Amino acid sequence: MTQDETMISVRNIGKRFGSVVAVEDACFDIRRGEFFSLLGASGSGKTTVLRIMAGFEAATSGAIFIDGRQMDAVPPHQRPVNMVFQNYAIFPHLNVADNIGFGLRKLKLDPVERRRRIDEMLELIKLPGFGDRLADQLSGGQRQRVALARALVLQPKVLLLDEPLGALDKQLREQMQVELRALQRSIGVTFVLVTHDQEEALTLSDRIAVMADGRVLQVDTPAGLYERPCSRQVAGFVGNMNFLPARVVSQDGGSARIDVPGLQTTCSISAERLARFGSDISLAIRPERMTLHRERPADQANSVSGVLHDRMYLGERTQFQVALDDRGTTIAVSSSTTVAERLGSIDPGAQVWLSWSEEALIPLGND
Amino acid sequence: MTVTSELNAPAGADKTAFAGLRRLFFQNESLRGLVLLTPTLVILSITVIVPFLLMGAMSLWTQIGFDYTDDWSFRNYGIILTEPLYTTLLLRSLGMSMAATLVTVMLAYPMAYFLAFHVQKNKLIWLIIITLPFWTSYLLRVFAWRVVLGYEGVINTGLMEIGLISEPLSFLLYSKSAVIITLAHAWAAFALLPIYVSLEKIDKSVLEASADLGEGPVMRFLRVILPLSMPGVIAGTFLMFIPTVGDYVTAALVGGPDSRMIGNLIELQFGTVDNWPMGAALAITMIISITMVGLLFMVLSRLLKRWVAA
């Protein structure tokens, strides 16, 4: 990545609150015009990283660069970033127009130009004519839009969003996700989103940094995180995942044989994917990468029999819980409901077979 | 058996009547409100509204010798408006009260700000310390200032001790400034507490938002903190201004001839001079003046708030 493509550079950022380590050695780059998400459970340090970017917290160690300029000594009001706060932080004493126009004072615009920019923003957030309303006359979704407009009117290099959709109900949240994505595409500003909702992060982002316990676990595209998680923690956090204990039995040049007792099979995996782990590993497989059969499939190598435990109808998908023959390991299998219907009704307790392709098996360390 | 049932019958009827009232009370919101307000309304009308009306009526009488004429006239008000002594005293009272209020609010605001934004632990202890002077009698506090400001008081002897002055400063006590200082100290908590409450209520993320939107500390204060704490400032100002205009103990104890206030005059009318109608007219005039100044202040602060925030 060249310097020109990087908008934010987080270099070994650490943050302690007393004896509590909030962020430890965070290190990643955010590209210009990218929709970047910090994903993690509460207490993972994601909000702290965002607040360090905004300048509300000072990093205990490390440095942060925005558009090539070191930011550590720059106070929040002089940084080229703007933020959408979790509770929106709309000024209660000002109407919508003055909220949006709050940051324009420094530009010393004439009233006509100021008005024009505010109206332009009201148009953009689809609230034209709302200029005279007070904050307490707005719904949650409308406040969220005003907070967005207030930050975007200043044409920041980076827009920071702290769980902006967390307080909205599901319907509105999904609608705002679409709008947020379209908005980011059309204006091309770099967005940094903090969220605990992995679905939201996958839907919106170009790239995601997964955080847990103050550490950045993996930075990748949504597909990359989903298909090639680098650890059990990431794999478990993003989407659903089955984990099975496995053992490396032999290694031969480029590929290694792995014994998976749960699946009563051995498989080969390229050795470089195993490089970091020992001989005891985990194999992960997504529920939708497994296929459920009523009869024994033809390819016997990559199949295993089990007993259907439970069947859950989830709308467009149907999920099966299958107890494998050994030691009661239970595997989740998910298929689209149309495919599941073709199987006909299978009662719990019936014998079924599972099959998979070898590429679907993800070797992971046992951490 | 029959006797018992006869005895029980009326009690049962009472019970249902009570239950009916009970239901009415809990179902009817406005009735409930009225019932809850009744004690306050009764006390207020007996102790405030009735005396106020009596005083208004009395102010329209005229004192002749030891007797009143009870023909209604605005004669007393005419005298108050034309006689320079009365207008001077009234204006002086308003001015001194305003000065004391201004001093107090200006001093109380930083204290309230510190309490609201910088004290993390033991806020209660700080609040108790601030309200501590209220645990002693008002007269005691006024006398304490005589000890501090007096000719051989703490300040004078202290300054002479360190050689800054050679003879005691005589303007400290029995002057307007002595009255203003004493009033400011005595009423400080009344101004401080409302300001503290309104500052405490401000959502901290709103302050971060204003920093994020490019405003430095000074403009953050002027555009966000000050307008949002304005209700507290207005409440504190009124709580202090209204009672101090009519105060007469302070002016009598630490004030000089140039710092007599309207309260002293009213007290004279009801006491030594024994002209109750004139005292009543003065009191009514004072109330009207305070109301007018208050309204003016509210309009001004609203304009100021709008101008500063935008």
Side-chain angles (χ1 to χ4, degrees), chain A residues 227-295:
Chain A
E227 306 294 345
R228 293 177 303 277
C230 70
S231 69
R232 276 191 72 143
Q233 226 172 342
V234 174
F237 195 69
V238 181
N240 295 317
M241 187 67 101
N242 295 303
F243 295 104
L244 294 156
R247 230 183 125 71
V248 181
V249 284
S250 69
Q251 201 152 339
D252 164 30
S255 76
R257 291 301 301 170
I258 292 170
D259 181 32
V260 194
L263 299 177
Q264 296 167 358
T265 188
T266 58
C267 60
S268 54
I269 277 172
S270 76
E272 62 176 323
R273 291 178 71 181
L274 288 173
R276 289 176 293 124
F277 317 126
S279 63
D280 282 314
I281 63 167
S282 277
L283 267 191
I285 184 160
R286 294 282 177 197
E288 69 275 14
R289 295 283 175 191
M290 293 217 153
T291 318
L292 190 79
H293 306 271
R294 305 186 73 149
E295 310 293 337

Side-chain angles (χ1 to χ4, degrees), chain A residues 6-59:
Chain A
T6 309
M7 178 52 89
I8 299 185
S9 189
V10 176
R11 289 281 147 260
N12 309 91
I13 286 288
K15 175 72 184 174
R16 290 166 170 282
F17 294 102
S19 62
V20 181
V21 178
V23 180
E24 202 176 350
D25 205 26
C27 211
F28 55 88
D29 286 328
I30 298 173
R31 295 176 195 141
R32 198 174 291 273
E34 187 172 43
F35 201 128
F36 191 91
S37 291
L38 291 161
L39 174 65
S42 63
S44 61
K46 57 189 192 305
T47 301
T48 308
V49 171
L50 195 79
R51 290 174 61 80
I52 290 172
M53 288 179 186
F56 298 132
E57 307 283 357

